[in-house]
């Protein structure tokens, strides 16, 4: 069903829709805002549909599908799927609205539903609130330009400089021109953003028209707490967890195509990483302002610990690589580096300085695992250059130096192939000990000092399986296991 609907509707979807679509995502949406003619926008209208996926009207969705799909059997299948309901605590709950939670077809159905909103904005609102080829000239600016020209002509350089400073404080065109309007639109899933050039009164009308369309046509409501009207130059809009604002820098001038200097930065859209995101990430690796070790990782190998830290930091950078303040992540880099060193020190029961001497390479921590006949495995943390990536973004871009490796063997199979007891170290005749729930095991021994060693081992590695030899397995089931201390294993 997903393949059939996707092949038919994907070419019909709007170019301003980026959620749950092939070769599109958060970065393509942000790229369109920052570098695709949103310059000069004065107001942002942030939109969020209230409980979108739970409030999709079944009859309206089937009506939309029936416009293009004439196969009654297929439509009946969609209807039965939407009405199927769900089981919770062995009790059946009917489904009166919304799409199936976790279904592979649900995001596509939501896009088909919200495509009606895309068409309404692009076919009705944008033509209605877009007019004029260019703004009228600012009379005050050109009056000062004439005075400056006369001052330069008579050789009064000081007067010309003073007039130029006054000119730099006012726009070259009339920002309140009633005959010039522009409306831009972008949507990712149920979040959308509109950029408007015009007065705030008209921005409020646009918001009200969208709310009325959603209420009357799609049977949905705008979340008024999240649907805000933001002044671009004075406040920051929040979209896809980026802060979006516009630059106002009057003193910065660059040469244009004709060689004349102009204020080309004013009005350009700027993407920023929110301060609260950075604070929350730093808080994960610190306590009372100091880096903290992560005890849940001490049972992993040094290579896996470094890779874990690096993958988390790299993933955050990959998402915020468009932000102009992405270099602020150097503070997080410092906290994570010391947290990593403390975690390795805790694992080896040694000091942080010894870890630095052992693994430090320049400003990075590097672990090398040699292999016979193969290239060594190398895990590095702290070697990234935190520079902002600009508009040369590709949807297939992957800012990651590690290759994606597809391995058919699971972690359990690797542990079995090692053919070694994880308790006593005996090789050969290995078996697997299972438990039902990790939560039951942790809850039973929570706060107790005396824990059986095999259970302590399972809690430490957070696994429901334990690879043991036959002797240890028999002793575990008989309740007589008394092996070596885990610190010696």
């Amino acid at each position: 069903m997903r393949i059939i609907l996707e092949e038919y509707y994907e070419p019909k979807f709007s170019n301003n829709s980026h959620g749950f679509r092939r070769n599109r995502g958060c970065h393509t949406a942000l790229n369109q805002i920052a570098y695709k003619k949103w310059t000069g926008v004065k107001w942002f209208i942030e939109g969020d549909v209230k409980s979108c996926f739970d409030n999709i009207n079944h009859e309206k969705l089937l009506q939309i599908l029936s416009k293009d799909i004439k196969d009654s059997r297929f439509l009946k299948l969609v209807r039965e799927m939407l009405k199927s309901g769900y089981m919770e605590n062995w009790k059946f709950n009917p489904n009166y609205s919304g799409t199936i939670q976790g279904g592979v077809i649900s995001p596509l159905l939501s896009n088909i539903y919200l495509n009606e909103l895309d068409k309404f904005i692009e076919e009705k609102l944008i033509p209605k609130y877009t007019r004029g080829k260019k703004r009228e000239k600012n009379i005050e600016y050109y009056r000062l330009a004439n005075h400056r020209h006369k001052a330069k002509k008579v050789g009064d350089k000081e007067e010309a400089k003073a007039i130029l400073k006054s000119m730099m404080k006012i726009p070259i065109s009339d920002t309140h021109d009633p005959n010039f309007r522009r409306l831009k639109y972008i949507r990712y899933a149920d979040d959308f953003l509109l950029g408007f050039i015009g007065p705030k009164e008209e921005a409020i009308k646009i918001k009200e028209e969208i709310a009325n369309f959603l209420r009357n046509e799609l049977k949905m409501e705008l979340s008024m707490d999240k649907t805000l009207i933001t002044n671009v130059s004075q406040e920051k809009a929040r979209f896809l967890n980026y802060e979006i604002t516009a630059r106002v820098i009057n003193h910065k001038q660059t040469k244009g195509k004709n060689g004349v200097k102009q204020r080309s930065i004013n009005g350009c859209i700027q993407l920023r990483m929110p301060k609260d995101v950075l604070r929350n990430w730093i808080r994960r690796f610190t306590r009372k302002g100091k880096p903290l070790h992560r005890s849940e990782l001490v049972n992993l190998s040094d290579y896996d610990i470094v890779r874990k830290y690096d993958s988390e930091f790299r993933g955050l950078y990959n998402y915020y690589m468009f932000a102009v303040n992405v270099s602020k992540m150097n503070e997080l880099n410092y906290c994570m580096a010391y947290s990593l060193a403390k975690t390795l020190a805790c694992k080896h029961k040694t000091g942080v300085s010894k870890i630095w001497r052992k693994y430090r390479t320049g400003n990075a921590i590097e672990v090398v695992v040699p292999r016979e006949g193969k290239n060594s495995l190398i895990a590095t943390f702290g070697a990234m250059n935190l520079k902002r990536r600009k508009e040369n973004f590709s949807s297939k871009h992957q800012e990651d130096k590690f290759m994606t490796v597809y391995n058919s063997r699971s972690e359990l199979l690797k542990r079995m192939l090692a053919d070694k007891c994880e308790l006593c170290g005996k090789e050969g005749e290995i078996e697997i000990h299972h438990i039902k729930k990790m939560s039951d095991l942790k809850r039973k021994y929570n706060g107790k000092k005396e824990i059986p060693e095999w259970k302590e081992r399972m809690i430490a590695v957070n696994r429901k399986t334990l690879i043991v030899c036959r002797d240890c397995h028999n002793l575990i089931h008989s309740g007589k296991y008394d092996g070596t201390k885990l610190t010696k294993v």
Side-chain angles (χ1 to χ4, degrees):
M1 292 174 69
R2 183 185 64 81
I3 292 171
I4 292 171
L5 290 173
E6 191 174 60
E7 290 301 321
Y8 183 79
Y9 280 101
E10 181 65 28
K12 300 182 70 174
F13 284 153
S14 167
N15 287 328
N16 296 318
S17 170
H18 294 262
F20 311 123
R21 295 182 62 189
R22 289 177 294 193
N23 297 326
R24 289 172 178 259
C26 297
H27 281 168
T28 56
L30 293 165
N31 188 55
Q32 182 172 334
I33 295 172
Y35 305 111
K36 302 295 181 182
K37 299 180 181 180
W38 280 55
T39 300
V41 166
K42 187 175 181 181
W43 301 98
F44 277 141
I45 305 170
E46 307 169 57
D48 183 82
V49 181
K50 188 175 182 179
S51 301
C52 173
F53 302 107
D54 295 332
N55 292 327
I56 289 177
N57 186 278
H58 291 171
E59 296 304 320
K60 182 63 180 180
L61 176 58
L62 289 165
Q63 180 185 340
I64 294 169
L65 290 171
S66 63
K67 292 178 183 178
D68 303 304
I69 299 174
K70 304 304 178 183
D71 188 342
S72 59
R73 294 171 300 173
F74 188 87
L75 293 174
K76 182 181 178 183
L77 185 61
V78 175
R79 180 188 296 273
E80 291 178 350
M81 181 190 64
L82 292 172
K83 301 286 186 182
S84 59
Y86 62 95
M87 295 285 288
E88 186 176 7
N89 295 327
W90 298 103
K91 182 182 178 182
F92 174 74
N93 296 274
N95 190 20
Y96 298 108
S97 66
T99 54
I100 306 94
Q101 291 289 336
V104 295
I105 198 175
S106 298
L108 179 56
L109 290 176
S110 67
N111 263 341
I112 294 171
Y113 199 79
L114 291 175
N115 188 52
E116 299 298 307
L117 173 63
D118 298 341
K119 290 193 290 186
F120 169 73
I121 293 175
E122 293 172 357
E123 296 175 5
K124 293 186 177 180
L125 289 186
I126 290 180
K128 180 179 178 181
Y129 290 96
T130 299
R131 59 178 181 267
K133 291 185 178 181
K134 57 185 297 186
R135 287 190 177 101
E136 291 291 333
K137 295 179 180 181
N138 186 350
I139 298 175
E140 180 63 20
Y141 181 89
Y142 283 93
R143 185 183 66 81
L144 290 174
N146 288 331
H147 286 316
R148 179 171 177 261
H149 178 71
K150 292 177 182 178
K152 289 175 68 177
K153 196 172 184 179
V154 297
D156 192 349
K157 294 183 179 180
E158 295 298 325
E159 180 67 17
K161 284 183 179 181
I163 294 174
L164 180 61
K165 287 183 179 180
S166 300
M167 291 172 61
M168 296 292 286
K169 295 178 182 179
I170 60 176
I172 192 172
S173 57
D174 184 6
T175 56
H176 301 287
D177 183 3
N179 298 317
F180 183 84
R181 298 286 183 271
R182 289 292 184 272
L183 183 62
K184 308 292 182 180
Y185 171 67
I186 199 82
R187 180 177 68 82
Y188 185 92
D190 59 335
D191 292 333
F192 60 88
L193 185 71
L194 292 102
F196 181 58
I197 299 176
K200 186 175 182 180
E201 292 76 15
E202 292 186 20
I204 295 173
K205 289 181 181 179
I206 293 170
K207 175 183 171 181
E208 291 174 351
E209 289 187 47
I210 294 173
N212 291 334
F213 175 81
L214 287 170
R215 187 184 307 110
N216 300 330
E217 298 295 329
L218 299 183
K219 315 300 180 186
M220 305 180 99
E221 293 290 334
L222 270 182
S223 178
M224 303 311 292
D225 295 337
K226 298 180 181 179
T227 304
L228 309 173
I229 297 177
T230 307
N231 189 305
V232 174
S233 59
Q234 299 176 6
E235 302 170 288
K236 298 181 180 68
R238 195 76 170 247
F239 184 66
L240 297 178
N241 218 23
Y242 265 80
E243 286 183 346
I244 307 177
T245 184
R247 300 181 183 185
V248 180
I249 305 176
N250 287 316
H251 63 273
K252 179 70 175 179
Q253 288 182 304
T254 56
K255 287 186 178 181
K257 295 180 180 179
N258 54 2
V260 178
K261 286 187 176 182
Q262 56 188 4
R263 290 169 286 176
S264 57
I265 294 179
N266 272 5
C268 291
I269 299 300
Q270 188 179 66
L271 304 177
R272 302 184 67 86
M273 180 182 185
K275 291 182 180 179
D276 60 298
V277 172
L278 186 61
R279 290 294 105 199
N280 290 337
W281 271 84
I282 291 175
R283 200 174 291 121
R284 290 173 58 182
F285 299 94
T286 57
R287 180 181 293 173
K288 296 181 180 180
K290 295 183 179 180
L292 179 71
H293 75 280
R294 297 170 69 180
S295 56
E296 72 274 13
L297 301 179
V298 295
N299 289 290
L300 299 177
S301 66
D302 293 358
Y303 176 83
D304 288 335
I305 293 173
V306 176
R307 281 296 303 271
K308 174 73 173 174
Y309 273 82
D310 184 64
S311 63
E312 291 177 353
F313 186 79
R314 187 177 296 274
L316 185 67
Y317 168 72
N318 283 349
Y319 187 73
Y320 286 105
M321 62 184 177
F322 282 174
V324 295
N325 62 337
V326 71
S327 60
K328 295 287 185 181
M329 285 181 62
N330 280 307
E331 184 181 355
L332 175 63
N333 187 21
Y334 168 82
C335 294
M336 290 183 70
Y338 267 88
S339 174
L340 172 57
K342 286 188 174 184
T343 302
L344 293 172
C346 180
K347 172 182 172 61
H348 294 288
K349 303 295 187 294
T350 185
V352 173
S353 59
K354 291 184 179 179
I355 295 297
W356 282 116
R357 286 195 296 268
K358 182 178 180 181
Y359 291 130
R360 190 165 187 169
T361 304
N363 293 324
I365 294 177
E366 184 175 278
V367 174
V368 181
V369 181
R371 297 186 295 176
E372 289 187 14
K374 297 181 181 179
N375 294 332
S376 298
L377 293 174
I378 302 175
T380 307
F381 177 83
M384 292 182 62
N385 189 5
L386 300 177
K387 286 187 176 181
R388 177 169 68 104
R389 306 296 179 189
K390 296 189 178 180
E391 55 197 291
N392 57 346
F393 170 77
S394 169
S395 60
K396 298 180 180 179
H397 172 79
Q398 184 181 7
E399 186 62 31
D400 200 327
K401 66 179 180 180
F402 296 107
M403 294 177 60
T404 302
V405 179
Y406 298 95
N407 194 342
S408 60
R409 294 179 175 178
S410 66
E411 180 195 3
L412 177 61
L413 186 56
K414 290 180 181 178
R415 293 162 63 199
M416 291 173 62
L417 290 174
D419 201 29
K420 185 178 181 180
C421 178
E422 294 179 344
L423 289 174
C424 67
K426 183 180 178 181
E427 296 183 355
E429 296 184 348
I430 59 102
E431 297 177 356
I432 303 177
H433 177 65
H434 296 265
I435 61 171
K436 289 184 178 180
K437 287 183 180 180
M438 282 299 302
S439 58
D440 293 342
L441 191 65
K442 292 178 180 178
R443 183 167 55 250
K444 186 175 180 180
Y445 292 98
N446 187 25
K448 294 186 178 181
K449 294 183 178 179
E450 296 297 329
I451 304 175
E453 292 166 350
W454 65 270
K455 293 185 179 180
E456 186 177 356
R457 176 75 177 185
M458 297 185 81
I459 292 172
V461 298
N462 198 31
R463 293 290 183 270
K464 294 191 290 183
T465 58
L466 195 64
I467 310 299
V468 292
C469 63
R470 185 169 298 172
D471 294 337
C472 289
H473 202 188
N474 291 335
L475 291 171
I476 287 171
H477 278 283
S478 63
K480 299 177 182 179
Y481 177 78
D482 187 17
T484 58
K485 294 291 185 181
L486 288 181
T487 55
K488 298 179 181 179
V489 174

